[in-house]
Amino acid sequence: RYRWFTLAKYLRPYISGWLGIYFALGIIILPSTSKDLFFSLAMLFFALAIMDSAWKARNDDKSDPRGNPLLFTIFSLALIDFMTDLLAPIRVTLAAMMVLGIINILRFVHCYKFPGPRPTQDIPSILLTGGLVWFGAGIAAWMGYLYPAMLIAVFGGLTLCVLYAGTVFTRFLLLVSNALTSGRRSWASFISTLVIPFLWLGLFIGAIHWAASVFNANWFFLHIYDIDLVPAVSIEISLRKLLVLLLIGLLVRFTLSWLGEMLAVISDSRQLDLVSINSTFLVVRYVVWILFILFVLASLHIEWDNLKWILGGLSVGFGFALKDILENFFSGIIVLIGKQVRPGDTIEFGTVYGKVDKINVRATFIKTEDNALIAIPNTQIVSKEFRNWTLNGDIRRNQFEVGVAYGSDIQFVIETMLEVMNASNLVLKVIPPDVLFIDFASSAILLRARYWVHVDCRSISASLLRRRMEEVFRDRGIVIAFPQLDVHIDNAAASPSLLPV
């Protein structure tokens, strides 16, 4: 018996979902049936499937045997819908509203107070909000206000269910997306940029249509979808058109994100220049979004003759108020097209040294060796001097100076320094290291060690080589010079008052 109960509990969301699809198809295939009744049954089973799946997606589902407290809310909303479809008398509907309010409140209290594991995560707030919704609906029904009671129950209950299901599904999908980020980045991008927005959009649209069905107002919402919201002007704006543009914008965003992931995968597999590909693709993204904006303006029937006066007036304000933003925007385009600086390059700008993390319309972000992210305006990148250490490759020459005491065997010191550099794994052997005799300083003979390393090993290589040279110098008796000062005092001075006291 327990096995069959567990199997039925597992299959319940699937059974509810298929029943919802059956009644939804019945509206189209069976025209002689009552469309309102079949629509109510379809929404009932779809809501049961969604809420049951959301409850099972919780981490603490197995530790809470009392079941989903919002399932009875779904049945209550469906019963209100059926009563309006069957044109039940007002007194009967008011009595049913009072009874449903009391039962739902008792159900929420049972889930929180009765023996058993205490609800975890966000369930206490769900129980409290649901209890307040049905308490308000029951009080309104007891006072004889039918439509306010239905309004509180239907819109309050559906809003609670949508927010709960959307939050749980979003949390679950984000966990799946984070798990797929390391291996299948395209699927992670698909979930984060397309599935989650469409999930919330579908939940809200379904809830609005069911609420309209309860009040027999679906015709009103269907009419609102196509009506011109701003009839006084030549611009054609309707909810349907705005919804279509929103969906197209989501698809464009997903497509660009997916293409970026695919380019990264292809460049890794074929060893292409990922830095140049990212810079070019960033320009393509800007162009696509500009074309999308032009498409939106054309879809709304915004004529350029009317728009040019607005742009002409705003251009003056933009010229003064947004001067820096516009300069940085066009400078960013110049940087991306010119490719003097690309994401991933290692640059030195004044006292800032690090890798270019990203380039946007306002600034170039550099991540330093201390993991600090520094934003440099694009205008400074274009107009001022900087060093790009990786524009011609990822290797660079590094150098540091060593001072040895006067009287040292210079040739022996140079051979020792070359031996240390050649023995290091960080020093590249393609270009041999060398040592230069720099100067006769005041307290030391200065030698300069020069070698080639990868850009990322610049700092660590200098530290390791200095430490190793100090050890080898100590073993071989080579003295590293330090500042010295000889003071000579002439005791045979004529005047004793000039002698130091």
Side-chain angles (χ1 to χ4, degrees), residues 11 73 131 158 223 367 394 427 429 466 477:
L11 295 177
T73 296
L158 286 177
H223 181 65
K367 182 177 288 186
D394 60 347
V427 177
K429 307 304 187 296
R466 285 189 178 100

Side-chain angles (χ1 to χ4, degrees), residues 24 40 123 151 158 179 231-232 260 298 305 310 313 332 368 399 408 451:
S40 300
I123 299 302
L151 190 69
L158 286 177
D305 292 337
I310 300 175
T368 65
Q399 61 186 18
S408 302
Y451 57 95

